[in-house]
Amino acid sequence: MAISHTPPNSLSPTRPLTPPGETPPCEGCISEAHEERADGGIWEHPVFWASLVMFGSLVVAGYFIARIFGFT
């Protein structure tokens, strides 16, 4: 068994340092490109549904307020 004179946590002097933000040559990207999912249109927008519920509740509340004041 050979004895090394460099501490175990030090970098090897023969291996160049990789700049920050770059992928080292031995670690390639294994991910694949994926297609973006199409927008689901109005069905995926909660603001539309929340405003529809609010409008419906205001119509119902307006009906009962009109009954209280004798308009119907």
Side-chain angles (χ1 to χ4, degrees):
M1 178 180 206
I3 298 175
S4 174
H5 296 289
T6 58
N9 292 341
S10 69
L11 294 173
S12 171
T14 59
R15 186 172 133 197
L17 295 176
T18 304
E22 292 187 15
T23 305
C26 63
E27 299 176 16
C29 180
I30 60 171
S31 67
E32 296 180 5
H34 64 280
E35 293 183 21
E36 286 290 324
R37 192 169 64 86
D39 184 24
I42 201 164
W43 306 108
E44 291 185 0
H45 295 283
V47 173
F48 170 76
W49 296 109
S51 60
L52 187 65
V53 168
M54 288 297 296
F55 177 72
S57 62
L58 289 175
V59 168
V60 172
Y63 171 75
F64 284 105
I65 290 173
R67 285 202 50 180
I68 289 172
F69 290 108
F71 289 114
T72 58

